[in-house]
Amino acid sequence: MQSKLRLALDTMYAMYPDACCELDFKTNEQLAIAVILSAQTTDISVNKVTPNLFQTFPTMHALAEAQLEQVEETIKTIGLYRNKAKHIKQFAKQLVEDHDGILPSNEHELTALAGVGRKTANVIMGVAFQQPALAVDTHVFRVAHRLALVTQKANVLQTELQLKRKIPKQEWIDAHHAMLFFGRYHCLARQPKCKECSLQSVCNYYKQQKTTQSD
Ligand code: SF4
């Protein structure tokens, strides 16, 4: 692994030794639903609706059979709730019909389910099944680009593939969580904590900001 990436990851591991999935769930199926709901919204807001959602619809069968309006009502405080209600109902229906209500453990079958894209499948693979996976969400993407851990124009998929090429496979899950926490709590989108960041010397974003300020 290149030394900058090693330094960056080790710094993040030291800062967030307990980095892990912050969504609340009891079963793999609930985790999948929580991850679907977390698209473009915070884990905190998802955790506010899932206790009631999982209590109201305790099984995938119950969710599959639910009235769409009732699902919408249960999750209406989160962004894009109408679409997400459709997705999780359809997701539950597919799980019941195609997988006896049990979450499949391979990426191909996961991404065939409603609401499950590559990022969601990667989170599920890593968190539910402890299979090597490196999900690139908005935080991982931002951190990878600010630190130039990937090429400048890399899109989400390219970012995932480039990071996977450089990071040992056994480290993918930990790297995902550490980069996510670093982006969520330190290298924030609008106000990154650059003044107190020990990665300043290797950060492209920081160098660019400095250059802009001195122009
Ligand atoms: S110096 Fe700023 S932009 Fe760079 S990694 Fe640290 S917090 Fe993020």
Side-chain angles (χ1 to χ4, degrees):
M1 198 191 310
Q2 58 175 237
S3 57
K4 179 163 76 169
L5 182 53
R6 183 74 276 157
L7 171 69
L9 285 179
D10 287 346
T11 300
M12 294 173 204
Y13 294 148
M15 288 172 74
Y16 302 105
D18 300 321
C20 61
C21 178
E22 294 191 296
L23 293 165
D24 296 334
F25 62 95
K26 290 203 176 86
T27 66
N28 289 346
E29 293 73 31
Q30 289 182 354
L31 166 68
I33 287 172
V35 179
I36 294 170
L37 295 179
S38 72
Q40 295 177 54
T41 194
T42 64
D43 288 1
I44 292 170
S45 60
V46 173
N47 288 340
K48 282 183 184 157
V49 302
T50 45
N52 188 24
L53 178 73
F54 297 149
Q55 192 175 20
T56 309
F57 309 108
T59 63
M60 290 299 107
H61 193 268
L63 184 56
E65 297 290 307
Q67 293 292 319
L68 184 59
E69 296 72 25
Q70 198 188 355
V71 182
E72 287 178 355
E73 183 64 25
T74 314
I75 64 166
K76 68 179 181 187
T77 56
I78 61 171
L80 309 173
Y81 73 94
R82 286 210 164 90
N83 268 342
K84 288 176 182 176
K86 268 189 220 138
H87 281 152
I88 61 173
K89 181 173 154 57
Q90 180 61 22
F91 167 87
K93 192 162 177 280
Q94 282 179 279
L95 264 196
V96 170
E97 288 175 0
D98 302 338
H99 302 282
D100 292 329
I102 309 293
L103 193 69
S105 60
N106 72 73
E107 192 179 329
H108 181 68
E109 287 181 307
L110 283 171
T111 51
L113 296 167
V116 180
R118 189 180 176 93
K119 186 209 80 177
T120 300
N122 274 328
V123 174
I124 293 167
M125 291 299 291
V127 176
F129 302 113
Q130 287 83 49
Q131 293 295 315
L134 205 163
V136 174
D137 66 359
T138 183
H139 302 297
V140 174
F141 185 84
R142 182 173 66 256
V143 166
H145 279 80
R146 282 182 173 171
L147 285 163
L149 303 177
V150 295
T151 52
Q152 199 182 1
K153 290 188 178 161
N155 61 23
V156 174
L157 177 59
Q158 289 162 339
T159 298
E160 178 193 324
L161 298 179
Q162 288 181 27
L163 287 174
K164 279 177 166 177
R165 269 201 299 275
K166 294 174 183 174
I167 299 171
K169 201 169 185 177
Q170 67 273 18
E171 214 178 311
W172 288 355
I173 298 173
D174 289 342
H176 160 75
H177 285 129
M179 290 177 77
L180 189 158
F181 266 55
F182 186 79
R184 181 178 283 164
Y185 298 112
H186 180 84
C187 188
L188 288 81
R190 291 204 184 130
Q191 288 185 308
K193 299 177 181 175
C194 300
K195 280 187 188 156
E196 55 196 83
C197 184
S198 54
L199 292 176
Q200 280 175 5
S201 62
V202 294
C203 179
N204 274 33
Y205 179 90
Y206 181 76
K207 285 177 203 157
Q208 280 166 9
Q209 297 297 109
K210 280 291 210 195
T211 310
T212 312
Q213 283 163 13
S214 60
D215 280 347

XYZ file of all heavy atoms in Angstrom, residues 147-195:
407
model
N -8.028 13.702 0.017
C -6.671 13.242 0.309
C -5.973 12.693 -0.941
O -4.827 12.246 -0.851
C -6.715 12.167 1.400
C -6.982 12.690 2.815
C -7.419 11.565 3.745
C -5.743 13.385 3.367
N -6.659 12.752 -2.069
C -6.121 12.221 -3.335
C -5.657 10.773 -3.172
O -4.586 10.388 -3.640
C -4.993 13.108 -3.861
N -6.496 9.986 -2.525
C -6.201 8.557 -2.390
C -6.610 7.819 -3.654
O -6.261 6.656 -3.852
C -6.957 7.973 -1.187
C -6.666 8.650 0.163
C -7.516 8.036 1.265
C -5.184 8.560 0.516
N -7.386 8.511 -4.491
C -7.812 7.973 -5.793
C -7.580 9.062 -6.835
O -7.307 10.212 -6.477
C -9.307 7.573 -5.767
C -9.545 6.418 -4.808
C -10.186 8.763 -5.405
N -7.710 8.721 -8.097
C -7.484 9.722 -9.135
C -8.568 10.802 -9.082
O -9.707 10.540 -8.675
C -7.458 9.071 -10.537
O -8.634 8.284 -10.689
C -6.238 8.200 -10.717
N -8.214 11.971 -9.515
C -9.056 13.149 -9.326
C -10.477 12.990 -9.871
O -11.447 13.418 -9.254
C -8.366 14.330 -10.009
C -8.855 15.668 -9.534
C -8.171 16.799 -10.294
O -7.357 16.561 -11.188
N -8.499 18.014 -9.953
N -10.577 12.370 -11.054
C -11.892 12.301 -11.690
C -12.619 10.985 -11.434
O -13.636 10.706 -12.085
C -11.747 12.535 -13.190
C -11.366 13.978 -13.501
C -11.409 14.264 -14.967
C -11.076 15.733 -15.210
N -10.675 16.013 -16.569
N -12.116 10.200 -10.529
C -12.737 8.895 -10.273
C -14.182 9.062 -9.801
O -14.456 9.844 -8.889
C -11.930 8.141 -9.218
N -15.096 8.340 -10.436
C -16.488 8.364 -9.975
C -16.637 7.386 -8.803
O -15.641 6.823 -8.325
C -17.447 8.048 -11.135
C -17.201 6.659 -11.708
O -16.646 5.787 -11.032
N -17.597 6.447 -12.951
N -17.874 7.179 -8.368
C -18.070 6.349 -7.175
C -17.540 4.928 -7.385
O -16.806 4.389 -6.545
C -19.573 6.312 -6.793
C -19.804 5.336 -5.646
C -20.032 7.697 -6.386
N -17.894 4.333 -8.512
C -17.442 2.963 -8.772
C -15.921 2.912 -8.903
O -15.260 2.029 -8.344
C -18.111 2.420 -10.048
C -17.673 1.024 -10.481
C -17.943 -0.005 -9.381
C -18.372 0.606 -11.776
N -15.361 3.866 -9.647
C -13.901 3.886 -9.809
C -13.205 4.103 -8.465
O -12.145 3.520 -8.198
C -13.505 4.991 -10.800
C -13.899 4.660 -12.239
C -13.907 5.903 -13.134
O -14.007 7.035 -12.664
N -13.811 5.678 -14.437
N -13.814 4.929 -7.627
C -13.239 5.158 -6.291
C -13.207 3.855 -5.507
O -12.194 3.501 -4.897
C -14.072 6.224 -5.537
O -13.994 7.446 -6.261
C -13.562 6.442 -4.122
N -14.320 3.133 -5.543
C -14.356 1.836 -4.839
C -13.280 0.892 -5.381
O -12.523 0.289 -4.610
C -15.747 1.196 -5.012
C -15.848 -0.165 -4.344
C -17.091 -0.955 -4.758
O -18.153 -0.332 -4.957
O -16.984 -2.188 -4.887
N -13.196 0.783 -6.695
C -12.258 -0.182 -7.287
C -10.812 0.225 -7.039
O -9.959 -0.626 -6.774
C -12.541 -0.322 -8.793
C -13.942 -0.873 -9.134
C -14.148 -0.946 -10.638
C -14.173 -2.240 -8.499
N -10.539 1.532 -7.111
C -9.162 1.984 -6.862
C -8.757 1.746 -5.400
O -7.643 1.300 -5.122
C -9.017 3.460 -7.216
C -9.044 3.717 -8.725
C -8.872 5.187 -9.085
O -8.261 5.958 -8.357
N -9.405 5.574 -10.224
N -9.676 2.052 -4.482
C -9.357 1.811 -3.064
C -9.150 0.320 -2.815
O -8.230 -0.080 -2.099
C -10.493 2.338 -2.168
C -10.601 3.863 -2.039
C -11.855 4.249 -1.255
C -9.358 4.468 -1.375
N -9.992 -0.497 -3.423
C -9.870 -1.947 -3.220
C -8.548 -2.486 -3.764
O -7.997 -3.447 -3.224
C -11.033 -2.671 -3.898
C -12.318 -2.675 -3.087
C -13.378 -3.347 -3.908
C -14.587 -3.724 -3.118
N -15.617 -4.311 -3.997
N -8.074 -1.886 -4.858
C -6.795 -2.330 -5.408
C -5.647 -2.000 -4.459
O -4.677 -2.728 -4.367
C -6.538 -1.653 -6.765
C -7.066 -2.454 -7.955
C -6.376 -2.067 -9.254
N -6.579 -0.684 -9.602
C -7.645 -0.227 -10.273
N -8.584 -1.063 -10.650
N -7.758 1.048 -10.572
N -5.786 -0.892 -3.727
C -4.668 -0.418 -2.901
C -4.708 -0.918 -1.458
O -3.693 -0.955 -0.788
C -4.672 1.123 -2.878
C -4.387 1.746 -4.232
C -4.557 3.251 -4.159
C -4.339 3.898 -5.517
N -4.627 5.331 -5.513
N -5.892 -1.224 -0.975
C -6.041 -1.623 0.432
C -6.147 -3.148 0.509
O -6.908 -3.749 -0.252
C -7.312 -0.973 1.041
C -7.197 0.554 0.979
C -7.521 -1.428 2.481
C -8.490 1.287 1.359
N -5.402 -3.783 1.428
C -5.510 -5.242 1.552
C -6.956 -5.663 1.817
O -7.676 -5.006 2.582
C -4.621 -5.563 2.761
C -3.705 -4.404 2.907
C -4.442 -3.207 2.379
N -7.344 -6.767 1.195
C -8.740 -7.211 1.250
C -9.254 -7.363 2.685
O -10.398 -7.015 2.991
C -8.851 -8.548 0.509
C -10.218 -8.893 0.043
C -10.155 -10.093 -0.894
C -11.516 -10.369 -1.479
N -11.505 -11.475 -2.443
N -8.392 -7.875 3.551
C -8.829 -8.115 4.936
C -9.079 -6.813 5.694
O -9.612 -6.821 6.803
C -7.821 -8.997 5.701
C -6.467 -8.367 5.962
C -5.479 -8.575 4.819
O -5.855 -8.898 3.700
N -4.194 -8.385 5.103
N -8.713 -5.683 5.061
C -8.865 -4.389 5.727
C -10.043 -3.587 5.158
O -10.323 -2.480 5.636
C -7.552 -3.608 5.519
C -7.148 -2.712 6.666
C -5.814 -2.020 6.399
O -4.837 -2.702 6.011
O -5.767 -0.786 6.568
N -10.700 -4.091 4.137
C -11.734 -3.308 3.445
C -12.840 -2.834 4.391
O -13.246 -1.677 4.351
C -12.358 -4.116 2.307
C -11.471 -4.306 1.115
C -10.226 -3.748 0.920
C -11.739 -5.107 -0.029
N -9.708 -4.161 -0.281
C -10.621 -4.992 -0.884
C -12.806 -5.912 -0.424
C -10.558 -5.660 -2.119
C -12.740 -6.578 -1.638
C -11.626 -6.441 -2.473
N -13.343 -3.735 5.228
C -14.470 -3.361 6.095
C -14.041 -2.285 7.091
O -14.732 -1.273 7.274
C -15.020 -4.597 6.849
C -15.553 -5.635 5.849
C -16.132 -4.198 7.820
C -15.963 -6.951 6.487
N -12.872 -2.485 7.711
C -12.376 -1.496 8.687
C -12.085 -0.160 7.998
O -12.358 0.907 8.552
C -11.095 -1.996 9.363
C -11.371 -3.138 10.322
O -12.539 -3.313 10.717
O -10.415 -3.861 10.663
N -11.505 -0.233 6.788
C -11.184 1.006 6.062
C -12.467 1.774 5.750
O -12.528 3.000 5.891
C -10.425 0.678 4.776
N -13.494 1.069 5.337
C -14.785 1.718 5.056
C -15.302 2.457 6.287
O -15.656 3.634 6.221
C -15.818 0.674 4.605
C -17.239 1.122 4.759
N -17.832 2.033 3.919
C -18.176 0.812 5.695
C -19.068 2.261 4.326
N -19.303 1.541 5.394
N -15.325 1.766 7.434
C -15.870 2.395 8.641
C -15.000 3.561 9.113
O -15.521 4.603 9.528
C -16.008 1.352 9.760
C -17.172 0.439 9.555
N -17.070 -0.933 9.598
C -18.468 0.700 9.278
C -18.263 -1.470 9.364
N -19.126 -0.504 9.162
N -13.683 3.399 9.036
C -12.792 4.473 9.495
C -12.922 5.703 8.600
O -13.007 6.835 9.091
C -11.340 3.972 9.510
N -12.963 5.497 7.288
C -13.097 6.639 6.373
C -14.467 7.291 6.532
O -14.606 8.516 6.455
C -12.883 6.191 4.913
C -11.443 5.811 4.612
S -11.198 5.214 2.926
C -11.224 6.754 2.012
N -15.479 6.473 6.752
C -16.831 7.016 6.944
C -16.880 7.896 8.202
O -17.375 9.020 8.175
C -17.814 5.851 7.051
C -19.310 6.173 7.040
C -20.100 4.940 6.609
C -19.818 6.639 8.381
N -16.339 7.388 9.309
C -16.341 8.176 10.553
C -15.497 9.443 10.391
O -15.874 10.510 10.870
C -15.801 7.328 11.714
C -16.883 6.634 12.498
C -17.799 5.812 11.861
C -16.991 6.805 13.870
C -18.799 5.171 12.564
C -17.989 6.171 14.592
C -18.896 5.348 13.945
N -14.344 9.297 9.726
C -13.466 10.461 9.522
C -14.208 11.532 8.715
O -14.136 12.723 9.031
C -12.204 10.009 8.783
C -11.159 11.077 8.637
C -10.320 11.414 9.688
C -10.996 11.744 7.422
C -9.354 12.406 9.543
C -10.034 12.728 7.267
C -9.208 13.057 8.331
N -14.932 11.116 7.704
C -15.686 12.074 6.894
C -16.892 12.627 7.630
O -17.229 13.798 7.505
N -17.555 11.783 8.395
C -18.783 12.207 9.091
C -18.477 13.150 10.269
O -19.234 14.081 10.530
C -19.519 10.959 9.581
C -20.827 11.252 10.296
C -21.516 9.963 10.706
N -22.171 9.295 9.603
C -22.587 8.032 9.617
N -22.393 7.296 10.690
N -23.183 7.499 8.582
N -17.378 12.897 10.983
C -17.137 13.649 12.224
C -15.937 14.587 12.183
O -15.768 15.400 13.087
C -16.969 12.665 13.393
C -18.206 11.839 13.634
C -18.211 10.467 13.391
C -19.385 12.439 14.066
C -19.352 9.709 13.589
C -20.533 11.690 14.269
C -20.516 10.320 14.028
O -21.663 9.587 14.223
N -15.095 14.467 11.165
C -13.888 15.305 11.158
C -13.724 16.051 9.830
O -13.713 17.279 9.798
C -12.659 14.426 11.434
C -11.370 15.179 11.438
N -10.900 15.852 12.545
C -10.458 15.391 10.454
C -9.756 16.449 12.252
N -9.463 16.180 10.996
N -13.653 15.318 8.760
C -13.459 15.950 7.446
C -14.846 16.214 6.846
O -15.240 15.654 5.825
C -12.632 15.031 6.550
S -12.135 15.788 5.004
N -15.585 17.098 7.534
C -16.979 17.356 7.166
C -17.078 18.049 5.809
O -16.147 18.755 5.400
C -17.646 18.232 8.231
C -17.945 17.565 9.578
C -16.718 17.508 10.461
C -19.030 18.318 10.300
N -18.208 17.869 5.164
C -18.362 18.411 3.810
C -18.167 19.920 3.792
O -17.376 20.448 3.007
C -19.741 18.048 3.264
N -18.871 20.633 4.674
C -18.826 22.100 4.606
C -17.732 22.712 5.461
O -17.129 23.701 5.071
C -20.180 22.674 5.031
C -21.229 22.351 3.991
C -22.395 23.317 4.023
N -23.391 22.853 3.061
C -24.665 22.700 3.327
N -25.143 23.003 4.509
N -25.489 22.263 2.399
N -17.518 22.146 6.624
C -16.512 22.744 7.512
C -15.564 21.683 8.055
O -15.633 21.301 9.221
C -17.195 23.462 8.665
C -17.870 24.743 8.190
C -18.463 25.534 9.341
O -19.217 25.001 10.144
N -18.129 26.804 9.420
N -14.665 21.209 7.187
C -13.702 20.208 7.658
C -12.812 20.802 8.749
O -12.516 21.993 8.729
C -12.893 19.877 6.399
C -13.090 21.034 5.483
C -14.445 21.583 5.789
N -12.426 19.956 9.704
C -11.641 20.455 10.848
C -10.151 20.461 10.516
O -9.338 19.801 11.186
C -11.948 19.592 12.071
C -13.425 19.647 12.458
C -13.729 18.734 13.633
C -15.213 18.782 13.982
N -15.597 17.845 15.034
N -9.816 21.212 9.484
C -8.437 21.202 8.968
C -7.427 21.711 9.989
O -6.308 21.206 10.063
C -8.343 22.040 7.695
S -9.399 21.435 6.371
N -7.818 22.700 10.773
C -6.859 23.294 11.714
C -6.329 22.282 12.703
O -5.214 22.393 13.177
C -7.529 24.453 12.471
C -7.571 25.726 11.656
C -8.078 26.892 12.469
C -8.288 28.085 11.554
N -9.247 29.034 12.082
